Amino acid sequence: MKNLSDLLGLPHDASMQGAGTDHLIVAVHALMFILFAGWISYFIFVLVRFHNTRNPKADYTGVKSHATTYLEISVAMIEAVLLVGFAIPVWSRAVEQFPTEKESTVIRVVAQQFQWNAWYPGTNGVFVKADPKLMAGDNLFGWDKTDPNFKNNFVVAKDFVVPVKKPVLIYLSSLDVIHSFACRPMRAMQDAVPGIAIPLHFTPAETGTYQINCAQLCGSGHYAMRGTIKVVSPDDYKKWVASKTSSGGGVGGGFE
């Protein structure tokens, strides 16, 4: 069965929280269409009703009806309903109601010209300690090599994997300039700013592979800064993480 986004030609919604965003988009565009049709109709009415052939002599009394006032009040009330009933709840779920790390798949995504890097904690779910002072050519994330979790963590470039129907909590940052992580099927978009770890969350609703883009002009290779999010079953995800952990997929801050 097609969802609302497919019926309206929007990017496919593969997330569990995207319906609210899509309904808000539809409601706003419906209001804009009504206003457009209304003002065009009124404009045509005025051209016909007050044409100089029908009104050779000017009327200096002016309009006495309060219909336009009532109309403006109605539009303001509809906009208030859109704001309070749709926009604020969607914003609240996206910005304030974050899932806990315990119930989520936690990933640290680090952007760089012109690549997306996903840092995973491995099978034990614990991230290796990191310090910017330890950053070097062979240790881009500043991992502490004396940390017992050092060999469990791994990094994959461009192509990420997450389990279906489980919240994904991303801590997003950048190594160089400002980028913007955008996965439209997941209804997820957030700037990646150097020196700041900004949280972002979404919940995949169905398996498949979905494209990641950079939505912020970040240099000459911006057009090629793409990646994918592959959504798999929980069992397949566990197997994938186990294979990456055992193979040392990112030991020493390396990349796959």
Side-chain angles (χ1 to χ4, degrees):
M1 182 178 179
K2 290 187 176 182
N3 56 30
L4 180 63
S5 60
D6 296 327
L7 293 173
L8 296 178
L10 297 170
H12 177 66
D13 177 20
S15 70
M16 298 184 72
Q17 80 286 343
T21 301
D22 291 350
H23 284 110
L24 176 60
I25 292 173
V26 171
V28 170
H29 279 78
L31 175 61
M32 293 300 102
F33 176 79
I34 293 171
L35 290 177
F36 174 77
W39 281 116
I40 288 295
S41 300
Y42 177 72
F43 180 65
I44 294 173
F45 167 77
V46 169
L47 289 178
V48 175
R49 174 66 179 79
F50 299 103
H51 193 271
N52 64 353
T53 56
R54 299 186 61 182
N55 300 272
K57 185 177 180 181
D59 182 0
Y60 297 101
T61 303
V63 177
K64 297 180 180 180
S65 171
H66 294 288
T68 55
T69 301
Y70 300 144
L71 181 60
E72 290 176 2
I73 293 174
S74 299
V75 171
M77 292 178 64
I78 293 173
E79 291 176 344
V81 170
L82 287 176
L83 178 63
V84 177
F86 290 86
I88 292 178
V90 170
W91 174 85
S92 177
R93 287 191 294 269
V95 178
E96 289 194 335
Q97 297 178 13
F98 274 76
T100 63
E101 291 190 3
K102 188 176 181 179
E103 65 181 325
S104 307
T105 300
V106 184
I107 309 171
R108 296 183 182 179
V109 174
V110 183
Q112 67 178 121
Q113 295 174 312
F114 299 96
Q115 179 172 284
W116 297 103
N117 307 298
W119 168 4
Y120 288 81
T123 53
N124 63 359
V126 180
F127 284 98
V128 61
K129 294 179 181 178
D131 188 332
K133 296 179 181 178
L134 300 176
M135 294 175 67
D138 63 343
N139 190 1
L140 293 181
F141 299 152
W143 289 1
D144 183 355
K145 297 181 181 181
T146 63
D147 189 314
N149 298 297
F150 172 67
K151 292 186 178 181
N152 283 329
N153 283 215
F154 63 92
V155 175
V156 296
K158 297 184 179 180
D159 301 319
F160 310 162
V161 179
V162 297
V164 70
K165 295 183 179 178
K166 183 178 180 180
V168 177
L169 179 57
I170 290 175
Y171 291 100
L172 186 63
S173 59
S174 172
L175 287 176
D176 35 52
V177 299
I178 295 176
H179 301 273
S180 185
F181 180 94
C183 184
R184 290 169 177 82
M186 295 299 158
R187 299 299 187 266
M189 182 180 292
Q190 177 63 60
D191 285 349
V193 181
I196 303 176
I198 302 175
L200 166 72
H201 72 96
F202 56 87
T203 303
E206 56 190 59
T207 59
T209 301
Y210 308 100
Q211 184 166 294
I212 304 169
N213 296 100
C214 180
Q216 173 69 43
L217 182 61
C218 57
S220 60
H222 165 71
Y223 70 96
M225 193 168 173
R226 295 187 295 269
T228 62
I229 294 178
K230 185 177 181 180
V231 182
V232 299
S233 68
D235 288 340
D236 287 342
Y237 178 73
K238 289 179 181 178
K239 293 176 183 177
W240 180 79
V241 172
S243 68
K244 295 300 178 186
T245 303
S246 63
S247 64
V251 174
F255 296 89
E256 187 183 68

